[in-house]
Amino acid sequence: MLLPLKAIISKKPRKDGTSVIYFQYCYSSTNRVLLSTEIAIPVSCWNGKRQCISKSLPEAAGNFESLNDEIGRQRKIIEVIIEHGNATGEPNIGAYVKSLFKPDFKVDTLQHTPRILRLAKREPDFFQEIDSYIKSKEKKVCEKGIANFQNLKDRLQVFQTFRRKEIKFSSLDFNFYNELVEFLSYDYQLRRKKEPTYGLKVSSIGKTIKQLRMFIKDRVRRKIIAPVDMDDFKVLDEETDAIYLTYEEIGKMYNADISRDPTLALYRDMFVLGCLTGLRFSDYSTLSGSDLRNGMLYKKTNKMDNWVVIPLRKEAIDIFNRHYATGVPKISNPVFNRYIKEIAELAGINQPITFSYKKGNKDVSITKSKAQWVTSHTCRRSFCTNEYLAGTEISLIMKISGHKTHKDFFKYIRVTQEEAARKIQEIWIGRNNMQTFAQSGAA
């Protein structure tokens, strides 16, 4: 059995070949602390059985008898500190001894030393920290970004109620991750649905995990919590099914007969402007008259907080002068989406389109008219895809769209197999009129 207090020598030599002698204090069956004597000798000169320095110690390293006396003196100091700590009822005797002991410690100061309580640090409240995190982001991200973090909080609160177990930072492990993903896949009830609907799409679950990782990393960087191993917190993802509109279809919407409801004109024009500029809804819905200068649109984007400069075509300038010169009313995204679907139906964009997505391990397919797939974000996808198909240099499109990487840019490109084939065909015709080999005399 290990003695409560034992002199040992480090197994890791220092650069000069010597190792430090420590006292190992085992204050429980599983816990121990090391207390440095600040004495270092060659390992070969240490007698582990007798816990002392042997006579073989070179003179250059010191006098072995004097050093052994010093080790004995320090042992007595530690024993006095341990006895004092036990007498005063220290809750963590190991931490108490380690905090006080030094080779030159004066034992007569113990009676004047205030009691040192090593109470366990109270773990920060998980949801209070999320609130603090969201507040810290209010001036740094757009409203949609704040809404995403609020969604994270709401989903975790529902998960906590579902599992009947409080979420703590100390509970964030692989088991927590698996339980959360399974809950969001099958048991989370979607809001704003007429009929009870359960389970998020894989991409939505991935977004929740991504935001959770961002929140935890922020709390760790601020040293509010201890580091959390999130290597297994995989951000699930799948390619998003989303449509784009050709310039012909956008023209149909622009020229659609809306005489029965003239109020649709603003929504129609805003949508078309978005398709001709590649801006996000948060940007093309907040333009002002001063943003247009010399036929160029200058806009600081809400999401990325960077400037983009976009040349405006005739139709875009007409729309801008008609609505934005004097300012447009504030419009919510859900309301905007509802009206542009109606306009797309009036424009005859109604061919059926089927999209599928993962819900857990199941494939779910939905068929709707193309008009019903149109959203405010269709503008951005349409701009990027149309310009890409028209042969505009990708780097120039990215300057307007604000994409930082080609990977992010190509997520917006919606090219069918037929369109891709026609694009390659055009390139081959221009290169050598669809001929692979040079003319020869072969029969």
Side-chain angles (χ1 to χ4, degrees), residues 121 124 216-227:
K121 187 177 180 181
I216 297 301
K217 287 181 179 179
D218 179 86
R219 298 296 94 176
V220 170
R221 281 196 296 267
R222 295 176 187 272
K223 298 184 178 179
I224 295 173
I225 62 172

Side-chain angles (χ1 to χ4, degrees), residues 8-257:
I8 62 173
I9 193 166
S10 173
K11 296 180 180 180
K12 296 181 179 180
R14 302 188 302 182
K15 291 183 179 180
D16 62 0
T18 63
S19 295
V20 177
I21 298 171
Y22 292 89
F23 278 103
Q24 177 181 270
Y25 172 42
C26 301
Y27 56 96
S28 75
S29 60
T30 56
N31 296 304
R32 64 192 65 187
V33 294
L34 292 178
L35 309 168
S36 174
T37 65
E38 298 182 5
I39 297 173
I41 63 169
V43 174
S44 59
C45 299
W46 178 250
N47 188 323
K49 187 175 182 179
R50 294 177 177 271
Q51 300 180 41
C52 67
I53 301 172
S54 66
K55 296 180 181 180
S56 62
L57 182 72
E59 291 185 7
N63 182 277
F64 79 95
E65 291 180 332
S66 298
L67 292 176
N68 282 331
D69 289 342
E70 174 61 16
I71 292 172
R73 186 188 71 82
Q74 292 190 30
R75 179 189 290 271
K76 291 178 181 179
I77 292 175
I78 297 171
E79 290 173 345
V80 171
I81 295 174
I82 294 172
E83 184 179 352
H84 182 271
N86 288 329
T88 55
E90 291 297 331
N92 190 333
I93 188 65
Y96 173 75
V97 173
K98 190 172 182 66
S99 69
L100 288 184
F101 175 74
K102 292 181 180 179
D104 58 354
F105 181 77
K106 305 297 183 184
V107 294
D108 56 359
T109 64
L110 273 176
Q111 59 182 348
H112 305 296
T113 302
R115 180 179 177 184
I116 301 176
L117 295 177
R118 301 294 181 185
L119 298 177
K121 187 177 180 181
R122 185 178 180 182
E123 185 173 329
D125 181 83
F126 187 87
F127 289 103
Q128 286 182 1
E129 289 301 322
I130 290 185
D131 288 335
S132 176
Y133 176 68
I134 293 174
K135 188 173 182 179
S136 71
K137 294 292 184 181
E138 287 177 350
K139 296 182 180 180
K140 299 178 182 178
V141 301
C142 62
E143 291 183 9
K144 186 177 180 181
I146 295 298
N148 287 336
F149 290 126
Q150 190 62 50
N151 285 338
L152 166 67
K153 178 186 174 183
D154 293 343
R155 288 168 184 172
L156 290 174
Q157 285 179 324
V158 176
F159 176 54
Q160 178 175 259
T161 302
F162 175 82
R163 74 199 294 245
R164 299 179 182 179
K165 186 177 180 181
E166 182 182 0
I167 296 178
K168 297 182 178 181
F169 288 105
S170 57
S171 68
L172 301 179
D173 55 17
F174 185 59
N175 290 328
F176 172 89
Y177 168 80
N178 273 338
E179 290 176 20
L180 176 60
V181 170
E182 184 172 349
F183 165 75
L184 294 175
S185 299
Y186 302 106
D187 300 301
Y188 179 75
Q189 184 172 354
L190 304 185
R191 298 181 178 181
R192 296 188 295 273
K193 295 289 185 181
K194 294 180 180 180
E195 297 293 332
T197 306
Y198 296 88
L200 295 171
K201 296 179 182 179
V202 170
S203 57
S204 297
I205 296 172
K207 183 181 291 186
T208 299
I209 299 300
K210 179 180 178 180
Q211 290 158 351
L212 175 62
R213 288 173 60 99
M214 291 169 60
F215 161 62
I216 297 301
K217 287 181 179 179
D218 179 86
R219 298 296 94 176
V220 170
R221 281 196 296 267
R222 295 176 187 272
K223 298 184 178 179
I224 295 173
I225 62 172
V228 177
D229 182 6
M230 294 186 293
D231 288 345
D232 291 324
F233 283 42
K234 303 300 182 185
V235 178
L236 307 178
D237 194 17
E238 66 176 344
E239 186 175 349
T240 303
D241 284 327
I243 63 161
Y244 87 98
L245 299 181
T246 65
Y247 280 133
E248 181 182 357
E249 291 171 321
I250 297 168
K252 287 182 179 180
M253 289 187 67
Y254 190 48
N255 296 308
D257 181 8

Side-chain angles (χ1 to χ4, degrees), residues 137-412:
K137 294 292 184 181
E138 287 177 350
K139 296 182 180 180
K140 299 178 182 178
V141 301
C142 62
E143 291 183 9
K144 186 177 180 181
I146 295 298
N148 287 336
F149 290 126
Q150 190 62 50
N151 285 338
L152 166 67
K153 178 186 174 183
D154 293 343
R155 288 168 184 172
L156 290 174
Q157 285 179 324
V158 176
F159 176 54
Q160 178 175 259
T161 302
F162 175 82
R163 74 199 294 245
R164 299 179 182 179
K165 186 177 180 181
E166 182 182 0
I167 296 178
K168 297 182 178 181
F169 288 105
S170 57
S171 68
L172 301 179
D173 55 17
F174 185 59
N175 290 328
F176 172 89
Y177 168 80
N178 273 338
E179 290 176 20
L180 176 60
V181 170
E182 184 172 349
F183 165 75
L184 294 175
S185 299
Y186 302 106
D187 300 301
Y188 179 75
Q189 184 172 354
L190 304 185
R191 298 181 178 181
R192 296 188 295 273
K193 295 289 185 181
K194 294 180 180 180
E195 297 293 332
T197 306
Y198 296 88
L200 295 171
K201 296 179 182 179
V202 170
S203 57
S204 297
I205 296 172
K207 183 181 291 186
T208 299
I209 299 300
K210 179 180 178 180
Q211 290 158 351
L212 175 62
R213 288 173 60 99
M214 291 169 60
F215 161 62
I216 297 301
K217 287 181 179 179
D218 179 86
R219 298 296 94 176
V220 170
R221 281 196 296 267
R222 295 176 187 272
K223 298 184 178 179
I224 295 173
I225 62 172
V228 177
D229 182 6
M230 294 186 293
D231 288 345
D232 291 324
F233 283 42
K234 303 300 182 185
V235 178
L236 307 178
D237 194 17
E238 66 176 344
E239 186 175 349
T240 303
D241 284 327
I243 63 161
Y244 87 98
L245 299 181
T246 65
Y247 280 133
E248 181 182 357
E249 291 171 321
I250 297 168
K252 287 182 179 180
M253 289 187 67
Y254 190 48
N255 296 308
D257 181 8
I258 56 173
S259 56
R260 67 177 182 82
D261 188 359
T263 59
L264 294 176
L266 174 61
Y267 301 97
R268 175 201 63 193
D269 289 354
M270 288 177 63
F271 180 82
V272 172
L273 182 67
C275 291
L276 298 180
T277 60
L279 290 172
R280 298 179 181 87
F281 175 78
S282 59
D283 296 321
Y284 66 74
S285 64
T286 57
L287 293 170
S288 63
S290 59
D291 293 331
L292 178 61
R293 300 192 291 274
N294 299 322
M296 295 284 189
L297 191 63
Y298 295 78
K299 179 62 177 176
K300 190 174 186 180
T301 62
N302 284 286
K303 182 178 181 180
M304 304 304 295
D305 199 34
N306 64 315
W307 284 94
V308 293
V309 182
I310 307 169
L312 295 190
R313 284 170 276 199
K314 181 182 181 302
E315 296 87 351
I317 293 177
D318 290 343
I319 291 172
F320 192 93
N321 291 333
R322 188 158 57 240
H323 299 289
Y324 291 93
T326 56
V328 296
K330 187 173 182 179
I331 300 172
S332 71
N333 205 328
V335 170
F336 183 82
N337 286 338
R338 185 167 68 248
Y339 284 127
I340 59 174
K341 284 177 170 59
E342 181 179 344
I343 297 167
E345 291 282 5
L346 291 173
I349 304 172
N350 51 21
Q351 63 267 42
I353 292 181
T354 300
F355 283 144
S356 62
Y357 62 90
K358 285 283 188 182
K359 182 176 279 190
N361 59 355
K362 296 181 179 179
D363 289 312
V364 179
S365 297
I366 299 177
T367 300
K368 295 190 290 189
S369 71
K370 190 172 185 178
Q372 292 305 308
W373 290 109
V374 174
T375 70
S376 61
H377 212 59
T378 303
C379 302
R380 191 163 165 79
R381 295 188 186 279
S382 298
F383 173 83
C384 292
T385 302
N386 285 323
E387 290 303 314
Y388 174 76
L389 291 174
T392 305
E393 188 177 328
I394 293 176
S395 61
L396 295 178
I397 305 174
M398 290 172 62
K399 284 290 185 182
I400 293 178
S401 67
H403 288 112
K404 300 296 184 183
T405 66
H406 282 71
K407 180 181 178 181
D408 289 337
F409 171 78
F410 278 106
K411 289 179 181 179
Y412 277 74

